[in-house]
Every structure is written in structure tokens, then in C-alpha cells.
Amino acid sequence: MFSKTIYWICTIVLFLGLLWMFLPHAAHGAITGVEEETEHYEHVIQGLIPTLLALVGMIWNEKQSKKKSK
């Protein structure tokens, strides 16, 4: 069942995940307001999780669309 709503939600989550992954390290503290020292790989993992979930959602949505059209 292809849904444009699900697709757009996944697109926004994908964008935010990639943004969080590739944001410079100094900007993370400014956004969150927390000045504690964290490693860059933690932010990469934090951005990777929503990115992967969004990609899985988009792929699943497309597969459902192809099944329905056949």
C-alpha cells in the first residue's frame, strides 16, 4: 500500500538523520544546549539510526506499491 504520507515522513526523517550525522561537532552542543564533551562517533550513530529506519520505511513503501500495481 503506497502512501505518499509515509513516503514524505520518511523523507523528512532521512533528511534530519543525515543532517545530524554530518553536522559539525561544535554545532551539536549549540543545538542541544549541552556543553558536555561527546565523541563524534556518538553523533554519527545517533544520526545513522533514523537514517536507516527512514530508508527501510521508504523501501518497504515502494515494494508495497509495486505489489499493488501488478
Side-chain angles (χ1 to χ4, degrees):
M1 146 172 104
F2 180 74
S3 171
K4 288 186 179 184
T5 306
I6 293 173
Y7 192 83
W8 278 105
I9 290 171
C10 288
T11 302
I12 292 169
V13 171
L14 177 67
F15 172 76
L16 292 174
L18 289 172
L19 177 69
W20 193 253
M21 277 176 41
F22 294 115
L23 200 63
H25 185 69
H28 290 283
I31 291 173
T32 61
V34 179
E35 290 298 327
E36 64 185 52
E37 190 65 30
T38 58
E39 297 294 326
H40 184 68
Y41 70 87
E42 291 177 23
H43 299 294
V44 171
I45 292 171
Q46 290 172 353
L48 185 64
I49 293 169
T51 300
L52 291 176
L53 290 175
L55 287 173
V56 167
M58 292 171 90
I59 291 170
W60 174 80
N61 200 17
E62 286 293 321
K63 285 187 178 183
Q64 294 299 321
S65 169
K66 289 180 182 179
K67 284 182 183 178
K68 187 177 180 182
S69 66
K70 287 184 181 181

